[in-house]
């Protein structure tokens, strides 16, 4: 059995189902609400159902594993990406996608799932801002998630989502070295906020070699043609997975740097999406053992039923 077949055998039938999350604590304006997530599950998408009228009233959503923020994003960015990639939306309902069901292969779809071990302490933190004039007097929050059971592989990869801020000194070329780049860290998509600086050209480099160069017109055309993106004013999206391959399209961050052509000085808030490898993949011998153990467990469960 080859590697791909063995991995598929261990993964089993991937059929995410919805669960209702535990009740949230600390739900109030200008406070941070917390929802405890059940450990030992694989999370593919987390949905927040609220009575809010204003998207930005939720300032930030963070998934924390054992006291470490694993993935976070502002609700404003999540809303913008939903609009850009033309995802269905409903008032007061906000979605933090982990797996990307729009990709073409199961490997790409589930590359950024969040696998939790039974011993993990996993929490969802939702930071509320002050009440907007359109919002109700008292906010409400319910959580739900699409999940599958943890496979024998455990947690090999972790999704990564976070924000950084670059600073352009002047109009012309601006260089940015990807921070803490390494062979175990991969980037799928970058979003650059253009409320202070506009970008007209991007060159992606690995060491001294240019591996990707796009004019802004090329970038926007490709997003619309290949990914069906509805471009959003004030944002520049660089999506290495726009053709639909979430794993193969991702770039290793080792030695990665960027050269931008910008129209002035100012801050460039940068939103990063990707994943990192946290454990070695099993050897062929270990895979064979896992396949045998998995088959034995399936047979036992079938007999017990």
């Amino acid at each position: 059995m080859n590697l791909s077949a063995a991995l598929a055998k261990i993964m089993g039938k991937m059929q995410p189902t919805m669960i209702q999350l535990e009740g949230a604590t600390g739900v109030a304006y200008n406070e941070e609400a917390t929802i405890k997530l059940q450990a030992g599950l694989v999370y593919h998408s987390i949905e927040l159902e609220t009575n809010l009228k204003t998207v930005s009233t939720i300032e930030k959503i963070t998934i924390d594993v054992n006291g470490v923020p694993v993935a976070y994003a502002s609700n404003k960015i999540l809303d913008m990406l939903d609009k850009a990639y033309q995802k269905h939306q409903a008032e007061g309902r906000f979605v933090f996608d982990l797996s990307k069901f729009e990709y073409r292969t199961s490997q790409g779809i589930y590359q950024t799932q969040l696998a939790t071990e039974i011993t993990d302490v996993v929490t969802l933190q939702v930071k509320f801002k002050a009440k907007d004039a359109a919002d109700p007097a008292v906010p409400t929050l319910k959580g739900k998630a699409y999940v599958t059971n943890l496979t024998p592989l455990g947690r090999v990869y972790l999704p990564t989502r976070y924000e950084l801020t670059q600073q352009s000194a002047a109009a012309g070329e601006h260089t940015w070295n990807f921070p803490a780049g390494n062979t175990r860290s991969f980037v799928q998509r970058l979003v650059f906020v253009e409320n202070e600086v506009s970008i007209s050209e991007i060159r992606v480099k690995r060491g001294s070699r240019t591996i990707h160069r796009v004019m802004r017109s090329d970038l926007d055309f490709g997003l619309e043609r290949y990914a069906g993106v509805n471009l959003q004013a004030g944002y520049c999206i660089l999506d290495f997975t726009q053709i639909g391959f979430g794993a193969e399209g991702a770039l290793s961050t080792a030695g990665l740097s960027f050269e931008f052509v910008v129209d002035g000085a100012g801050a460039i808030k940068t939103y990063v999406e990707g994943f990192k490898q946290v454990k070695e993949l099993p050897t062929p011998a270990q895979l064979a053992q896992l396949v045998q153990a998995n088959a034995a467990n399936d047979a036992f469960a079938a007999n017990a039923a």
Side-chain angles (χ1 to χ4, degrees), residues 25 44 49 56 74 79 85 87 101 109 123 125 134 136 153 158 162 164 171 181 205 226 232-233 287 302-303:
T25 60
H44 300 281
E49 187 177 1
S56 59
S74 70
D79 178 70
Y85 288 84
K87 302 286 186 70
F101 298 119
I109 289 169
T123 57
Q125 298 160 354
L153 283 175
L158 269 177
Y162 54 93
L164 303 166
K205 306 188 77 172
Y226 301 113
Q232 300 294 299
L287 267 179
N303 290 332

Side-chain angles (χ1 to χ4, degrees), residues 33-284:
T34 300
I35 299 176
K36 184 178 179 181
L37 301 184
Q38 181 181 338
L41 295 175
V42 179
Y43 289 84
H44 300 281
S45 180
I46 295 175
E47 299 182 10
L48 303 179
E49 187 177 1
T50 77
N51 61 349
L52 299 176
K53 304 295 184 182
T54 306
V55 169
S56 59
T57 300
I58 291 182
E59 182 178 359
K60 185 180 179 182
I61 302 169
T62 304
I63 302 172
D64 184 291
V65 179
N66 299 326
V68 179
V70 168
Y72 67 85
S74 70
N75 207 31
K76 188 175 180 181
I77 280 287
L78 294 179
D79 178 70
M80 184 279 295
L81 287 172
D82 275 357
K83 287 181 169 60
Y85 288 84
Q86 303 191 61
K87 302 286 186 70
H88 176 69
Q89 295 180 285
E91 184 178 85
R93 195 161 183 136
F94 311 114
V95 182
F96 197 122
D97 285 322
L98 293 161
S99 295
K100 307 283 180 52
F101 298 119
E102 64 269 24
Y103 287 145
R104 300 186 185 191
T105 66
S106 59
Q107 182 184 3
I109 289 169
Y110 299 117
Q111 184 72 67
T112 49
Q113 65 185 14
L114 174 61
T116 65
E117 305 284 357
I118 194 66
T119 55
D120 286 337
V121 177
V122 192
T123 57
L124 181 70
Q125 298 160 354
V126 183
K127 187 176 181 181
F128 285 79
K129 294 169 66 175
K131 176 185 175 300
D132 184 75
D135 288 325
V138 178
T140 62
L141 172 64
K142 294 179 181 178
K144 45 205 75 189
Y146 279 95
V147 301
T148 51
N149 292 324
L150 187 66
T151 71
L153 283 175
R155 182 166 57 230
V156 178
Y157 295 95
L158 269 177
T160 53
R161 288 192 178 194
Y162 54 93
E163 293 182 0
L164 303 166
T165 300
Q166 307 176 46
Q167 191 70 39
S168 167
E173 285 197 359
H174 162 63
T175 299
W176 179 57
N177 294 319
F178 194 91
N182 63 82
T183 57
R184 289 175 168 260
S185 174
F186 299 83
V187 61
Q188 293 174 311
R189 180 163 59 197
L190 297 168
V191 177
F192 308 105
V193 182
E194 296 183 298
N195 54 4
E196 294 186 23
V197 174
S198 294
I199 298 169
S200 59
E201 181 182 344
I202 301 176
R203 295 186 289 271
V204 184
K205 306 188 77 172
R206 192 176 306 285
S208 61
R209 185 168 67 93
T210 299
I211 59 174
H212 187 61
R213 181 184 180 189
V214 285
M215 305 298 123
R216 182 58 178 273
S217 57
D218 302 328
L219 188 66
D220 291 349
F221 178 83
L223 286 168
E224 290 183 281
R225 178 173 176 82
Y226 301 113
V229 168
N230 181 16
L231 301 174
Q232 300 294 299
Y235 296 92
C236 174
I237 301 174
L238 178 60
D239 189 345
F240 298 113
T241 66
Q242 68 180 18
I243 296 174
F245 297 99
E248 297 92 333
L251 287 186
S252 165
T253 62
L256 200 64
S257 65
F258 298 81
E259 293 176 349
F260 304 92
V261 176
V262 298
D263 65 353
I268 308 174
K269 184 172 284 189
T270 304
Y271 174 70
V272 182
E273 284 189 19
F275 56 91
K276 64 180 179 181
Q277 187 174 353
V278 295
K279 185 172 73 174
E280 295 296 336
L281 285 167
T283 65

